Amino acid sequence: MPPDPRYAPLFQPLRIGPVTAPNRFWQVPHCSGMGNQHPATLAAMRGVKAEGGWGVVNSEYCSIHPSSDDTPAPYCSLWDEGDTANMAAMADAVHAHGALAGVELWHGGGRSANVLSRAAALGPESILAETGPWQSQRMDRKDIKDLRDWHRAAALRAKAADFDIVYVYAAHTYLLAQFLDPALNRRADDHGRDFDARTRLIRDLVSDTRDAVGDRAAIAIRIEVTDEDGTGSAARAEFLGRIAPLVDVFDVTIPDYGVEMGPSRFVKEAALESHIAHVRSATGKPVVSVGRFTSPDTMLSQLRRGILDFIGAARPSIADPFLPAKIRDGRLDDIRECIGCNICYAHDGLGAPIRCTQNPTMGEEWRQGWHPDRVPALIGTADPVLIVGAGPAGLEAAVTLGQRGIPVVLAEAGEPGGRVTREARLPGLAEWGRVIDWRLTQIAKLPQVTLYPGSRMTPDDIRDTGLSHVMIATGSLWRADGRGRSHPGGVPCFADPRTLTPDHILDGTRPPGGPIVIFDDEGYHIAAGLADLLAAEGHDVAYVSPAGSVASWTSYTVEQSRLQARLIDRNVTLRLGQIVSALGPGTATLACAHTGRETIIPCTTLIPVTSREPQDALYLALQDRGLTTLSRIGDARAPGLIAHAIHDAHGVARAHLTPAPPPRRERPVLPRR
């Protein structure tokens, strides 16, 4: 399709200081889980984004000194010449596609636990580290001078690594934000006695950075438009205007990370607009901000109305590194829209390279050589592949095989969607349906893929097709017997007419009335979502979990606090640190997860959310049927996240008839003695 002229403003170049951005797509600094431990992985991932049309591609937070050590979270660093070489690889990968490369210089201050470097953390005051029971040292004059020297040295290394944009990072409760925060900065000196004093360090670092990079690189600042408590917007606006002569672009945000990084369950597109719309007029300089922008029309509106000069994105650039190119080329229905699940961010928090539910190639660009917009075509012809099951894994396998030129017959017992269709029925999760919508859209474009809904397959049915390549993607179902972490062998008395599974509820079954007990032994979002759903419908719900918080794993996806608040607002009874150990007549017995002390509560319906049963009976029945290839994929192999199912299916489909080499690893290798 030809480019749509409506979107031409998104592709206009814009000068920022001494450099010119080729378009208005700005991948803001975002964590990658790669950092200084996986520099080749990082360079390849950022390079693919530049290839996909992002005009500016930034690093994640980049430490300037060992006193800013975020281990176990992976981060970039510019401590020495070795780091300079590694970061230069990223800049080179971005430049190879005509984009600008940016680096975000970072000091964590009191938030840095420094568990690897063992250096004393620094701060305007002595405060507790975020992840440890020890504190930072209060910075004296020498410490402040040292910080300025370290920051300048890192800026010079960034210049040597050929970065085009160098950030001063004054947001997200790190060191410079700590100096700005009147609650954390109670110094009585010229770095803390009033607002002007609290801004001094930032002003000095901006000036130092400008001096260091000269006319080689643009200066960006990432900063919040209010104080941490949401006040002080007028003073902040005045400050931004005051430093504008030294700053080439303002990357602005708000203190509430749960909104900036908000999951789609709670936060929708362009959520920051009302907070940051004044910055352009206050500074007279280009402005970038985020909003989980997936709609080209929303992006265009931000530019036309003068809200932003650059469309900032982290998660949309992860879900589709080729989003700008697809807008440019008129391929809007090919855009993999971010679903706001925050699985990307979760894995950085787990100390691993990020991945994406929508984009299975994220993090695999270097490790496995996967490209987000291309799969290797099969040389020659191939016999058709039968895929049984059109949930997320089956659909992903069908798309990938079809794009390789391999004929596919896709049989689904009901309607396409599988678990995604079910989970998207939970409050706030409608955008998760994009996982299915995108894949069905692609299948409609692939004449070699034929979808047969309403086609339940038996082993004999498969034999009768005459097809000898079979992939089983029949998913999984929630267990009713209580097997999980707390009860590995299950609970016999859960075999009771009162027990319903999450699948029953998501498929429309409702308890007859009375108190509902939801036992969350998994810790992700399903149990909390069910409690939210049923309580909103007027049911009396008790949520029980051995964890100390609701949906404890969702702390990684920035949902936990809001989920717990939602259940409190719904008047759900929270029974934390408890395990459902038995059912009695009209009751459930809870055991304290720590003492074993028992409590009996009323229960007319039990919904155990404990573990899932892979639906692999068809796969097992086909193992001795003489098929040429047979594989199970997704939840039918190993139930997990939707992202796991899609990644597994994508890998199996890529390797069909062309086995891939083992993934590459980045690791130190010591010389043999």
Side-chain angles (χ1 to χ4, degrees):
M1 294 178 65
D4 189 329
R6 289 180 302 163
Y7 303 120
L10 293 169
F11 296 93
Q12 292 176 351
L14 183 62
R15 190 165 183 83
I16 46 173
V19 297
T20 299
N23 60 36
R24 304 306 180 88
F25 294 93
W26 186 291
Q27 182 245 276
V28 297
H30 72 73
C31 58
S32 70
M34 301 166 191
N36 57 22
Q37 299 300 307
H38 302 282
T41 304
L42 176 67
M45 182 269 287
R46 303 289 189 202
V48 162
K49 293 200 189 177
E51 181 189 352
W54 294 90
V56 176
V57 179
N58 289 288
S59 71
E60 59 258 53
Y61 61 160
C62 186
S63 173
I64 63 172
H65 186 263
S67 59
S68 182
D69 160 29
D70 218 21
T71 304
Y75 54 90
C76 289
S77 54
L78 275 171
W79 297 352
D80 55 32
E81 296 312 306
D83 285 337
T84 303
N86 285 345
M87 294 302 292
M90 182 206 131
D92 290 347
V94 171
H95 290 155
H97 300 285
L100 299 181
V103 61
E104 184 179 57
L105 303 185
W106 163 75
H107 198 290
R111 276 192 61 182
S112 294
N114 296 347
V115 294
L116 180 63
S117 71
R118 306 191 190 190
L122 301 173
E125 299 285 348
S126 181
I127 62 173
L128 276 168
E130 184 174 8
T131 58
W134 51 85
Q135 297 185 209
S136 60
Q137 77 178 47
R138 183 184 291 113
M139 294 175 71
D140 61 18
R141 290 179 183 175
K142 181 180 183 303
D143 295 324
I144 291 174
K145 180 183 181 302
D146 287 344
L147 176 75
R148 292 181 63 180
D149 290 344
W150 301 335
H151 199 278
R152 178 181 176 83
L156 290 170
R157 292 187 186 108
K159 180 180 177 181
D162 207 19
F163 280 97
D164 308 287
I165 300 163
V166 179
Y167 266 80
V168 175
Y169 190 9
H172 299 137
T173 71
Y174 293 125
L175 180 61
L176 300 187
Q178 292 160 25
F179 268 88
L180 281 174
D181 185 356
L184 291 179
N185 183 356
R186 303 201 175 190
R187 302 167 70 101
D189 62 7
D190 54 3
H191 283 90
R193 60 175 170 264
D194 55 23
F195 179 79
D196 188 66
R198 292 197 302 273
T199 67
R200 178 178 174 181
L201 183 57
I202 294 174
R203 288 184 278 123
D204 287 343
L205 291 182
V206 169
S207 180
D208 292 345
T209 305
R210 170 65 72 195
D211 289 342
V213 302
D215 61 359
R216 169 60 190 86
I219 303 299
I221 186 168
R222 199 176 206 184
I223 192 166
E224 290 144 351
V225 296
T226 68
D227 291 342
E228 292 300 319
D229 62 2
T231 64
S233 59
R236 291 273 181 135
E238 186 276 332
F239 170 62
L240 298 185
R242 193 169 8 139
I243 63 172
L246 291 174
V247 174
D248 298 309
V249 62
F250 286 85
D251 183 342
V252 289
T253 185
I254 61 175
D256 189 344
Y257 203 58
V259 174
E260 179 191 348
M261 184 68 182
S264 60
R265 185 194 301 265
F266 299 111
V267 179
K268 302 310 175 185
E269 188 178 32
L272 270 61
E273 178 178 326
S274 62
H275 303 279
I276 56 88
H278 65 285
V279 174
R280 196 164 180 253
S281 61
T283 64
K285 290 293 184 72
V287 175
V288 59
S289 191
V290 297
R292 199 166 56 84
F293 297 113
T294 58
S295 163
D297 291 320
T298 302
M299 300 175 195
L300 188 63
S301 174
Q302 296 283 304
L303 261 62
R304 288 200 183 280
R305 292 182 294 116
I307 307 300
L308 299 175
D309 298 280
F310 291 100
I311 302 303
R315 292 170 292 172
S317 75
I318 295 167
D320 198 335
F322 274 66
L323 185 153
K326 290 174 181 177
I327 297 174
R328 180 196 64 210
D329 298 340
R331 298 190 292 135
L332 302 189
D333 58 354
D334 287 338
I335 295 172
R336 284 190 184 95
E337 293 183 282
C338 172
I339 69 171
C341 64
N342 286 358
I343 291 302
C344 52
Y345 183 72
H347 283 81
D348 178 79
L350 292 166
I354 59 173
R355 66 267 344 248
C356 177
T357 299
Q358 277 281 57
N359 174 16
T361 71
M362 175 49 54
E364 300 286 23
E365 299 88 351
W366 181 86
R367 196 176 80 103
Q368 299 207 67
W370 291 1
H371 190 278
D373 224 39
R374 296 191 298 270
V375 292
L378 185 73
I379 298 174
T381 60
D383 292 333
V385 175
L386 171 64
I387 302 174
V388 182
L395 291 172
E396 177 63 29
V399 169
T400 306
L401 289 168
Q403 290 174 340
R404 295 186 61 204
I406 299 172
V408 176
V409 175
L410 177 57
E412 164 57 42
E415 292 298 319
R419 64 175 288 191
V420 173
T421 300
R422 289 192 182 96
E423 293 181 33
R425 293 170 183 154
L426 290 170
L429 295 190
E431 290 183 56
W432 287 29
R434 294 172 174 177
V435 169
I436 302 305
D437 295 342
W438 184 84
R439 286 158 178 82
L440 289 176
T441 298
Q442 299 309 303
I443 284 174
K445 298 181 179 185
L446 294 168
Q448 60 269 50
V449 178
T450 306
L451 171 62
Y452 293 95
S455 300
R456 187 176 298 277
M457 303 295 286
T458 67
D460 289 341
D461 294 331
I462 292 172
R463 178 200 61 200
D464 292 343
T465 68
L467 301 178
S468 64
H469 298 283
V470 179
M471 295 181 182
I472 303 299
T474 42
S476 64
L477 293 173
W478 287 96
R479 290 168 171 151
D481 60 7
R483 279 184 289 166
R485 294 189 182 95
S486 297
H487 304 295
V491 183
C493 62
F494 282 13
D496 185 292
R498 287 176 292 164
T499 299
L500 297 176
T501 69
D503 299 306
H504 290 129
I505 303 300
L506 294 175
D507 284 338
T509 301
R510 288 297 180 269
I516 300 170
V517 175
I518 299 176
F519 175 38
D520 185 6
D521 204 33
E522 183 214 26
Y524 190 27
H525 72 97
I526 291 289
L530 291 172
D532 186 1
L533 175 71
L534 294 171
E537 293 175 356
H539 294 277
D540 179 4
V541 180
Y543 170 95
V544 180
S545 173
S549 60
V550 168
S552 57
W553 198 82
T554 63
S555 62
Y556 291 110
T557 57
V558 203
E559 296 174 276
Q560 192 285 317
S561 181
R562 279 180 165 80
L563 277 173
Q564 187 151 338
R566 176 74 69 83
L567 298 196
I568 292 170
D569 289 344
R570 298 282 197 212
N571 294 315
V572 173
T573 301
L574 303 183
R575 301 273 186 169
L576 304 177
Q578 303 283 317
I579 296 166
V580 178
S581 58
L583 288 177
T587 65
T589 300
L590 310 185
C592 174
H594 309 287
T595 67
R597 189 175 298 124
E598 292 187 341
T599 304
I600 295 177
I601 63 172
C603 174
T604 58
T605 300
L606 172 67
I607 304 174
V609 186
T610 55
S611 67
R612 286 174 283 158
E613 183 67 22
Q615 299 299 290
D616 58 359
L618 184 59
Y619 167 81
L620 296 174
L622 292 170
Q623 284 192 300
D624 298 321
R625 294 292 184 107
L627 296 171
T628 304
T629 65
L630 172 65
S631 57
R632 50 184 166 173
I633 57 177
D635 286 350
R637 175 154 72 165
L641 304 173
I642 298 169
H644 288 132
I646 290 174
H647 180 273
D648 182 51
H650 186 84
V652 171
R654 273 185 180 260
H656 180 66
L657 302 182
T658 54
R664 294 192 288 179
R665 291 193 295 157
E666 290 189 77
R667 68 200 189 281
V669 177
L670 300 177
R672 295 188 65 177
R673 295 179 60 182

